[in-house]
Amino acid sequence: MRHYTVALAAAFLALSAYAEDPVSPKAPEFTTKTSGISVGAGFGTGTYGEQIPGHVALELDGVKSWDGRKYVLTWNAQAGATGGYAGNQHPGFFFAGGYLKGNGELGYRLTPESNWSPYMSGGADAAFSGVAALGTPLDKYDTINNLDGLAGVNGAFSLRYSLGASYLNPKHALTLTAFVQEALRAPGSFSDSTLYNEVGLHGQYDYKNSFSIVMEALYGTSLLDTHDSAFGSTTEKERFEAVMSVRKLFGKGWWVALDTKVSEEGAKTVYSGSPVTYTTNGPLSPYVGLSLGIPIELGVPAK
Amino acid sequence: MKHHTKKKMNRLELLTLLAVCLVTAAASAAMSCGPSKWGFDSIDAMTTPADGPMGCGAKPTTLDSLASARAGCAFVAGARASDTLGITPDVTRNIPIRHVIVVMKENRSFDHLFGKLHDQGQPATEGTPPSYVNLDAAGNAVAPFHANTTCIQTDPTHQSTSMLEGVNGGKMDGFVKSAAAGTGTDGHFVMSQYESSDIPLYYWLAKTYALSDRHFAPMQSGTYGVRNFMMFGWNAGVVDTGISYPDPDTNSIFRSLMNKGFTWGAYSDSEPFSGALGWTNQEPGVHTYQELLDSLDRGDLPNVAFVDADENVNDDHPTADLQAGEVWLKKLYDHAVTSPQWPRLAILWSFDEGGGFADHVAPPKGCLPTGRKAWPYPDFGPRVPLVAISPWAKMGSVSHVPHDHTAITRFIETIFDLPALTVRDANSDALFDLFDFSCGRDLTPPSGAPAPGTGGCVK
């Protein structure tokens, strides 16, 4: 992680100096924001089988530029409750819990006076959830069905560095970037937390207080192979994920959002002295969710 | 102009939303959420190693000075039988077994099937005490009674919550209430028991070969979790049936065998391992029941064969007819005793869990399998029958040594010198209390196996 950080910080500072233009007139800024209560439900599958989750959450989302379009901040934060039904066979089980998640990205536009500009950014993403199967004793909730990011205590944290292009005017904001990130992902199915090196493509378009779409695909492999001395085994993990989120904002700050995601995890394990290499994949796990955003005073968009 | 731009944007938004919906629907349809890939593709190309000369005379139980260490859960994953059981490679070489068939049926407790065995052919077995009762919801004492059908049409609830209720902290008095709450009946049927006239083949096998009357399910829950103990040495993160499957990258007995060049096969006309792994019949290593019988006839069994009957037909899971289950097992037995591999064969016939049927013996504690927070209750589940069918079985014997399904795992690990998968199987015995490897034994199968029972299924 350190080599990414040092290299990109140096590049950031160098390009900042290069792009400094104190005599340029300040360009008009772009701002779009929503805040409110998000209520939604979805359907997905995974190791745990089929999942029908719902959520109620406080959500803050937005994009904002400043200093003559030189800097762009993108954020999303959610804190809420989730609950639903899951299982490979039916009847399955009902689950409930809470979650916190958020991401932020600070971008720098190298030619802020132009609508199109080279763009670089750094960001962080964090997620934490505590979910239990209903009926689970409180002191046991982290021990039962702690699977695949669905139930139990799960978390993830990642740092991201991006390079690409930005289009920005007072009504439209578009970023197209390639990124590298390092992500610590909490255990699924009782495996140890894994630090991944990931690369991907990201695109986000926002039409001021009206519409946004985010698309992203990433692929990663474990930063360090896992060695198990008891078995003489070495495991390399990999994961793939693609997400797309579309959000339509209405007057007075209401919104409707459609979120889709597909992911898959795999591993390659070799054992000392064994001629067999085990290449495994978990199930391809798609998810689709629909939510309604109810504005709160904080989030009434400025028209 | 501004208005016109806005209108165009609305169209763009609608088109985008439409595209997203179409892409999502197409992706969902195309992905079809395929099953996990377990990486066992090479098993079908592997050749079972030659058995080598047949040894005999191994006396592993006399070398077992490590029982107290095992009871204290002293051993960890990776431990060999030489570490935990005092079974050296020299001893292992004198164990004649080179092929193991694990027959795991479904959902019957020991008392439910063999509570009457003490009075009907095997007095060394602990019978159900006359004082054993469960109270029903109305407070009436329900004593064991003779089942009036071999095809019980109600499936008692038997996942973790129900099992914990039934066991009730070791009182073993909550089965009726749990079944009543889960099935909408009075729950009395879980106190039913069978007799030798109902299931004559099962009774004959239990009293003729080596029976354990202290074999327990490895946890208090249903099929998926308990079966995982046999394959992975722990529940692999799975507690209740129908919720989740193990991570396919989990260390398993399949991998341990393959890593040492030994072979395995899963034989089923239904779902292998009763669905615990989410495998279909297309999975590498999976074969039909007929292929097992053919393999027995030819004498080319893999080193370990895991065999499962058809779900709810002859696997003994309610609503299946137990007498149909006898027909299924009799066919396997007949092919086994006439197989050229009979002298090198051990069939371990058991039931995955008690299925919610009552049993009077409080399960002891086992070792927590892993350092992780997989399943917080170390206690075994209710007793289930386990019979070792082999020319090397201690004929007509009953073992009272407590163990769970990881003893099956440990038996395989010991025979083939494989590492323990978890703390649970590392500290398990290896079922050698059911075997006698003395030289000079008559390996001829016992005569007198009865025909399966008939006419017991009254609906």
Side-chain angles (χ1 to χ4, degrees):
Chain A
M1 188 178 298
R2 185 184 301 167
H3 54 284
Y4 285 148
T5 306
V6 171
L8 285 160
F12 191 90
L13 290 172
L15 289 170
S16 298
Y18 166 80
E20 196 65 37
D21 185 6
V23 298
S24 298
K26 297 289 187 184
E29 305 291 354
F30 174 89
T31 300
T32 187
K33 290 192 288 189
T34 57
S35 60
I37 303 298
S38 171
V39 180
F43 177 79
T45 69
T47 300
Y48 44 77
E50 296 158 354
Q51 177 197 174
I52 306 170
H55 74 267
V56 178
L58 172 65
E59 181 171 355
L60 310 174
D61 185 271
V63 178
K64 177 182 174 60
S65 71
W66 74 92
D67 198 10
R69 302 191 303 190
K70 190 181 292 182
Y71 300 100
V72 180
L73 182 66
T74 307
W75 71 90
N76 180 276
Q78 298 177 42
T82 183
Y85 177 83
N88 274 308
Q89 294 179 353
H90 301 285
F93 74 105
F94 290 94
F95 61 89
Y99 68 93
L100 294 168
K101 63 181 180 181
N103 62 71
E105 181 176 282
L106 176 61
Y108 182 76
R109 304 179 76 248
L110 272 64
T111 56
E113 70 280 3
S114 305
N115 285 351
W116 278 105
S117 168
Y119 176 83
M120 57 191 303
S121 67
D125 186 302
F128 175 84
S129 65
V131 175
L134 292 185
T136 305
L138 274 180
D139 63 334
K140 302 288 193 298
Y141 88 100
D142 191 29
T143 62
I144 296 178
N145 293 310
N146 182 3
L147 286 161
D148 206 35
L150 174 65
V153 175
N154 286 277
F157 179 76
S158 61
L159 290 175
R160 172 179 297 193
Y161 313 96
S162 307
L163 284 174
S166 162
Y167 178 88
L168 199 74
N169 68 24
K171 284 195 175 297
H172 305 282
L174 172 70
T175 54
L176 299 169
T177 59
F179 64 85
V180 295
Q181 72 176 17
E182 296 187 15
L184 180 65
R185 300 191 182 278
S189 302
F190 297 97
S191 57
D192 291 324
S193 298
T194 303
L195 190 62
Y196 286 92
N197 269 334
E198 297 174 340
V199 297
L201 298 172
H202 176 93
Q204 177 165 350
Y205 168 74
D206 289 85
Y207 182 65
K208 183 179 175 68
N209 294 331
S210 176
F211 178 76
S212 73
I213 180 170
V214 179
M215 300 177 74
E216 180 174 305
L218 65 84
Y219 170 81
T221 58
S222 50
L223 183 63
L224 299 171
D225 292 345
T226 304
H227 299 282
D228 189 337
S229 58
F231 298 93
S233 65
T234 302
T235 299
E236 177 185 355
K237 295 183 179 180
E238 63 177 0
R239 69 185 303 276
F240 159 79
E241 180 179 299
V243 297
M244 179 164 58
S245 297
V246 181
R247 180 180 300 231
K248 170 61 183 166
L249 285 67
F250 300 97
K252 298 182 180 178
W254 291 73
W255 77 86
V256 174
L258 177 68
D259 297 299
T260 60
K261 175 182 175 180
V262 61
S263 61
E264 187 173 34
E265 295 186 2
K268 182 186 291 183
T269 300
V270 295
Y271 292 78
S272 176
S274 170
V276 185
T277 297
Y278 301 94
T279 303
T280 64
N281 285 97
L284 197 64
S285 304
Y287 170 81
V288 59
L290 191 64
S291 57
L292 171 69
I294 304 164
I296 57 176
E297 189 174 340
L298 177 66
V300 175
K303 284 285 185 181
Chain B
M1 182 66 188
K2 184 178 179 182
H3 177 73
H4 181 63
T5 304
K6 178 72 175 173
K7 197 170 181 181
K8 279 172 68 178
M9 186 51 61
N10 284 341
R11 284 192 195 129
L12 173 64
E13 291 164 10
L14 285 171
L15 283 171
T16 305
L17 282 169
L18 182 61
V20 167
C21 291
L22 287 173
V23 167
T24 302
S28 298
M31 288 163 188
S32 70
C33 318
S36 299
K37 296 173 185 169
W38 286 75
F40 293 140
D41 305 70
S42 59
I43 185 62
D44 288 333
M46 287 180 67
T47 303
T48 304
D51 289 345
M54 187 166 73
C56 64
K59 295 180 180 178
T61 52
T62 62
L63 301 174
D64 189 4
S65 59
L66 299 165
S68 61
R70 293 200 307 274
C73 304
F75 300 106
V76 297
R80 306 281 174 145
S82 54
D83 305 319
T84 68
L85 295 160
I87 300 178
T88 64
D90 284 342
V91 175
T92 305
R93 271 191 288 277
N94 288 326
I95 296 174
I97 306 296
R98 300 307 286 169
H99 300 275
V100 181
I101 297 178
V102 180
V103 179
M104 187 152 288
K105 291 233 174 177
E106 284 275 318
N107 291 46
R108 304 285 176 163
S109 71
F110 189 95
D111 275 348
H112 176 63
L113 286 187
F114 291 138
K116 293 291 184 186
L117 184 60
H118 173 85
D119 303 321
Q120 298 181 6
Q122 183 47 283
T125 304
E126 180 177 310
T128 309
S131 59
Y132 179 59
V133 296
N134 273 206
L135 297 183
D136 67 11
N140 302 310
V142 185
F145 62 93
H146 185 196
N148 58 9
T149 177
T150 54
C151 52
I152 291 172
Q153 295 299 296
T154 306
D155 182 18
T157 45
H158 52 270
Q159 299 307 314
S160 59
T161 303
S162 303
M163 282 291 191
L164 289 163
E165 289 171 355
V167 172
N168 192 21
K171 296 177 183 172
M172 312 308 285
D173 62 359
F175 294 102
V176 170
K177 286 179 183 172
S178 176
T183 63
T185 68
D186 61 12
H188 290 196
F189 71 102
V190 299
M191 298 296 289
S192 63
Q193 295 186 342
Y194 290 99
E195 301 186 357
S196 63
S197 57
D198 304 314
I199 43 176
L201 178 71
Y202 284 3
Y203 265 67
W204 182 83
L205 290 169
K207 69 185 182 188
T208 302
Y209 287 94
L211 170 71
S212 168
D213 71 355
R214 283 296 184 275
H215 189 78
F216 297 85
M219 65 189 291
Q220 292 170 25
S221 189
T223 292
Y224 281 18
V226 297
R227 283 175 175 266
N228 286 345
F229 270 85
M230 180 189 68
M231 296 179 275
F232 306 99
W234 63 306
N235 67 343
V238 177
V239 175
D240 289 332
T241 297
I243 304 300
S244 59
Y245 299 123
D247 181 345
D249 194 41
T250 309
N251 283 311
S252 63
I253 193 66
F254 312 115
R255 285 187 175 191
S256 293
L257 286 163
M258 291 169 71
N259 288 341
K260 290 273 300 238
F262 296 112
T263 59
W264 57 267
Y267 296 85
S268 173
D269 292 337
S270 187
E271 291 182 287
F273 305 104
S274 289
L277 303 183
W279 287 8
T280 68
N281 289 328
Q282 304 305 310
E283 199 77 23
V286 175
H287 310 276
T288 64
Y289 181 59
Q290 185 59 47
E291 286 178 280
L292 174 74
L293 304 179
D294 294 342
S295 191
L296 278 165
D297 293 345
R298 290 192 303 266
D300 59 3
L301 278 175
N303 293 109
V304 181
F306 301 95
V307 192
D308 296 290
D310 300 343
E311 184 176 353
N312 294 344
V313 176
N314 46 30
D315 68 349
D316 298 342
H317 188 298
T319 58
D321 182 1
L322 286 171
Q323 293 178 338
E326 284 202 316
V327 171
W328 181 92
L329 186 60
K330 181 66 160 50
K331 188 183 286 187
L332 192 160
Y333 178 76
D334 287 344
H335 283 261
V337 296
T338 57
S339 169
Q341 291 180 303
W342 171 250
R344 314 302 299 270
L345 183 62
I347 300 172
L348 301 175
W349 165 45
S350 188
F351 290 75
D352 63 347
E353 33 97 3
F357 290 102
D359 192 86
H360 76 278
V361 178
K365 286 192 184 305
C367 298
L368 278 174
T370 73
R372 307 184 203 289
K373 297 171 286 184
W375 173 241
Y377 310 108
D379 309 50
F380 293 161
R383 280 189 314 164
V384 291
L386 171 73
V387 180
I389 301 169
S390 168
W392 301 97
K394 287 182 184 171
M395 299 295 179
S397 72
V398 179
S399 168
H400 310 299
V401 178
H403 36 60
D404 73 322
H405 291 339
T406 60
I408 298 173
T409 319
R410 201 59 175 155
F411 179 79
I412 295 167
E413 290 165 352
T414 303
I415 297 286
F416 299 107
D417 189 25
L418 309 177
L421 296 166
T422 68
V423 173
R424 179 66 76 86
D425 57 320
N427 292 285
S428 176
D429 71 70
L431 297 177
F432 287 133
D433 46 309
L434 301 176
F435 290 88
D436 174 5
F437 299 125
S438 301
C439 297
R441 290 193 57 181
D442 180 6
L443 304 183
T444 307
S447 59
T454 57
C457 182
V458 179
K459 292 184 181 177

